[in-house]
Amino acid sequence: MAEQTDFLVIGSGIAGLTFALKAAEKGKVYLISKVGIDETNTKYAQGGIASVMYHPDSLEKHVRDTIEAGHGFCNEEVVRMVVSEAPERIRELVSMGVKFDRNSDGRYDLAREGGHTEHRILHHKDNTGEIIQKTLSERVRKHPNIKVYKKHFAVDLITQHHLGELVNRTRKDICCFGAYVFDTENEKVSTVLSKITVVATGGIGNLYQTTTNPVIATGDGIAMVYRAKGIIENMEFIQFHPTSLYNPGERPSFLITEALRGYGAVLRNSEGEKFMNRYDERGSLAPRDIVARAIDTEMKVRGDDYVYLDCTHLDPDDLVENFPNITSKCLSLEIDITNDMIPVVPAAHYLCGGVKVDINGESTIHNLYAIGEVASTGLHGANRLASNSLMEAVVYAHRAAVNSSAKLETTVYQESVPEWSLEGTSHPEEMVLVTQNYKEVQMILSNYVGIVRSDLRLDRALRRLEIIYNETEELYKKTFLSRKLCELRNLINVGYLVIKMASERHESLGLHYTIDYPKRIMQKF
Ligand SMILES: Cc1cc2nc3c(=O)[nH]c(=O)nc-3n(C[C@H](O)[C@H](O)[C@H](O)COP(=O)(O)OP(=O)(O)OC[C@H]3O[C@@H](n4cnc5c(N)ncnc54)[C@H](O)[C@@H]3O)c2cc1C
């Protein structure tokens, strides 16, 4: 028997939780999360959330900074809308109980980050994301109109395809009727019919061997929408954080904040050379993408696994006082940052592209919305301005809730959807096939589709990925579902999209850099 709900929300980060709380005022909400409700990218956000709050900052300055960071590839209409609606959404977060740090005069303690020309980052110490996650999820748990299902994995979106019709990407009337959801604890697949479906599944960091993202970030939403024949765009724009602590096997990777370089730490290669001066006159303080590319080149040229961040020339007492978390994390690995250099490596951090949506967060599939990191709204262009992603998530969650709620009365459940078929499947005998292919996908993307790309590397990546795709599809057809298998399949889909879109862009633009086309040739907007 299929279950029915007005809104099905897939994902419990800032985007999914905000949408759920607003939609619950208009109808019944199912909120599902593939693990616990609080294990999200949102929880790990450190810096904060950008918004214009006081003079001398202005909306115009925030718009300009965003477009500049995005290399002019942003959609200016979207940038203006998001930046101007952000302050109202911040006030709502505060009214829901999120406590941003304030100065002694009562005004917000606004931080300034790379690329921002003004102080405009609201934060709570260095754990803003955790506070937002905790506050919103507590409200969601208590809301009488919201049912929360943890350990429930959305496998596929339901469209006319499941009614036996031919659905291809040129069809303009594809409609979403809900999703097939796998209860990973009880190993049951249920059909959840919804009037409105919201994909809020976050990013794709686990496509790479080193990432700041938690293990949940496997691009499930993008892969589901792609399989349902929705449009995906700008997947080649992946932001790598230049300095995560080199500690193989640790997931997520521990971030070494840019503030440490701002404080005087310098990057050195394995020969002790301050190599950044060869790449940019600003040395270790060059922008994120330039530093990440320089580190990548040094590692590839020398065959090294990491470079060093050196703080040993800085005053030890001040260093420890200002960076207590980094000090204690490094000490736990027997690295005393006042005496030893810190081994660092770039890590996949944020996806600028994703599911193409309109100004209200609706995808190219009717009644299917995508919000948060999974969406490509046009805000970030070819590179994201720091702390603009949490802001984008709350603005679009609000817009999507308002826009979709207006459709509830005129939308009916599609009741002729068949149940999930288990025919021909058995329990997997060898999980090693899944885990090995998962690692191989990460290796292919890290080695060939990382920070610096070339036609040769992309072509090789595609051919290698195709072999794993065929093996995995074969396994998927005959094996009973598991979360790992579904995630592997989704990562392969997402990896394919990254490679395809990177191959099609014959220029270097923002986060996409290729040695075969080192210059920029096109202006989109
Ligand atoms: C270390 C770190 C620091 C950051 N710092 C900042 C910052 O300071 N400022 C800023 O603006 N941004 C920052 N970001 C980026 C920002 O945190 C994310 O872009 C944002 O939190 C994404 O929110 P979301 O709601 O879209 O997704 P997430 O918070 O990632 O939530 C995704 C949800 O989807 C669920 N899910 C996924 N797939 C499925 C499935 N198949 N079925 C069911 N559920 C599923 C997950 O379980 C999870 O609940 C940072 C990111 C990281 C990793």
Side-chain angles (χ1 to χ4, degrees), residues 472-489:
T472 306
E473 285 304 299
E474 203 50 41
L475 196 65
Y476 185 78
K477 272 184 222 143
K478 54 184 195 202
T479 309
F480 190 77
L481 288 183
S482 71
R483 185 184 133 201
K484 269 277 162 233
L485 177 57
C486 292
E487 287 179 339
L488 167 64
R489 196 166 172 245

Side-chain angles (χ1 to χ4, degrees), residues 285-428:
L285 287 176
R288 226 180 233 194
D289 49 337
I290 295 176
V291 177
R293 251 191 328 264
I295 296 177
D296 187 70
T297 308
E298 289 296 310
M299 285 168 40
K300 287 222 165 70
V301 166
R302 288 162 202 284
D304 291 340
D305 289 332
Y306 50 83
V307 296
Y308 292 103
L309 191 61
D310 181 8
C311 329
T312 55
H313 54 290
L314 302 173
D315 181 274
D317 294 335
D318 288 351
L319 187 62
V320 171
E321 192 183 322
N322 281 295
F323 299 97
N325 283 339
I326 294 177
T327 306
S328 65
K329 174 67 191 184
C330 287
L331 266 184
S332 75
L333 300 171
E334 296 182 355
I335 302 165
D336 171 2
I337 68 169
T338 63
N339 273 314
D340 307 317
M341 296 198 288
I342 309 171
V344 292
V345 64
H349 189 53
Y350 184 80
L351 173 68
C352 293
V355 178
K356 182 180 163 70
V357 294
D358 67 13
I359 199 107
N360 292 310
E362 192 169 20
S363 72
T364 50
I365 297 177
H366 297 289
N367 297 344
L368 177 70
Y369 291 72
I371 52 175
E373 190 167 338
V374 70
S376 175
T377 62
L379 175 73
H380 307 303
N383 195 359
R384 172 190 69 131
L385 180 65
S387 291
N388 265 0
S389 35
L390 294 175
M391 172 186 76
E392 179 193 46
V394 284
V395 167
Y396 272 90
H398 172 80
R399 290 196 145 239
V402 172
N403 186 267
S404 61
S405 298
K407 294 181 183 178
L408 278 190
E409 273 194 18
T410 51
T411 308
V412 292
Y413 294 109
Q414 174 53 263
E415 301 204 1
S416 38
V417 171
E419 294 287 299
W420 181 264
S421 168
L422 293 174
E423 212 173 295
T425 61
S426 63
H427 277 269

